[in-house]
Amino acid sequence: MSETIDTIDADQDDVTPADGEAGEQKAGGGDDVLVQEGDIAGDYLERLLDLLDYDGDIDLDVEAGRAIVSIDGGEDLEKLVGPRGTVLEALQELTRLAVQQETGSRSRLMLDIAGWRADRREELKELGRSTAESALKSGERVRLQPMSPFERKVVHDAVATVEGVMSESEGEDPKRRVVIFPES
């Protein structure tokens, strides 16, 4: 069995897809395709929880042009998040591959477990805003710790809300980081 798996550009992982990719998804039925992705992902994750003998409620949603799958309610779920969300990121990629195997199309679905991603998003928004304000005051470039694509996108979005500063990513994964600096 020979199967091609798309290479994922880390910075593009959690941003809007290229025009061709978005067109393919929309041409296939828009939300209907995303609902199908969510259903496939939900079934895959339900089987995984059964194998692990973990409890959890799976919720499926479509938001901002992507399927959103969240698992909540079980006391063992923190183990599926892992340190700094590393296990969650791996499970998200495995779930995307399971969806791709069924549909033949690359999925951009987002997985959240035990509300970790939602909580982390709020922390990162505050980090991005406060660091942007600090960089603006000091006039210096500020380099943050290495982050996942999801984390970098949230920080970039938060920095964009502060006038007079910009941000960019530098380095290679897994050490890719956000740099925040005053506009010239």
Side-chain angles (χ1 to χ4, degrees):
M1 178 172 94
S2 175
E3 187 169 297
T4 303
I5 298 174
D6 293 339
T7 302
I8 298 169
D9 181 331
D11 268 348
Q12 297 303 315
D13 187 38
D14 289 307
V15 295
T16 305
D19 290 342
E21 188 178 326
E24 286 172 23
Q25 238 180 18
K26 288 184 174 133
D31 281 356
D32 291 343
V33 171
L34 298 175
V35 168
Q36 179 189 16
E37 284 185 9
D39 288 341
I40 294 167
D43 291 344
Y44 175 79
L45 292 165
E46 191 171 313
R47 288 191 308 269
L48 175 71
L49 291 175
D50 286 346
L51 284 170
L52 295 171
D53 198 26
Y54 285 8
D55 289 327
D57 298 319
I58 298 174
D59 184 41
L60 311 173
D61 199 5
V62 172
E63 189 178 297
R66 82 172 25 177
I68 309 289
V69 181
S70 57
I71 306 173
D72 291 301
E75 58 188 61
D76 292 322
L77 294 181
E78 290 297 321
K79 295 174 187 174
L80 297 179
V81 173
R84 294 195 64 217
T86 54
V87 176
L88 171 60
E89 291 291 330
L91 285 174
Q92 177 175 278
E93 285 308 310
L94 289 172
T95 305
R96 286 177 173 178
L97 289 172
V99 170
Q100 180 178 344
Q101 185 175 11
E102 288 283 323
T103 65
S105 299
R106 184 180 175 317
S107 172
R108 296 179 54 246
L109 85 95
M110 179 73 75
L111 176 62
D112 192 5
I113 299 175
W116 184 86
R117 200 177 293 272
D119 293 344
R120 183 71 174 142
R121 180 178 281 117
E122 291 307 312
E123 291 172 18
L124 291 167
K125 283 180 184 177
E126 178 55 34
L127 174 67
R129 281 191 299 267
S130 64
T131 305
E133 290 167 2
S134 174
L136 189 59
K137 264 186 189 172
S138 72
E140 301 289 324
R141 295 172 73 88
V142 179
R143 285 177 174 78
L144 300 177
Q145 292 184 0
M147 297 179 182
S148 70
F150 157 76
E151 293 172 318
R152 290 192 307 269
K153 172 147 180 18
V154 173
V155 171
H156 285 304
D157 290 347
V159 170
T161 66
V162 179
E163 281 195 45
V165 292
M166 298 177 64
S167 64
E168 63 186 19
S169 291
E170 71 175 18
E172 299 294 324
D173 278 327
K175 295 184 179 186
R176 194 158 172 82
R177 66 183 66 226
V178 175
V179 180
I180 302 169
F181 52 93
E183 291 179 336
S184 309

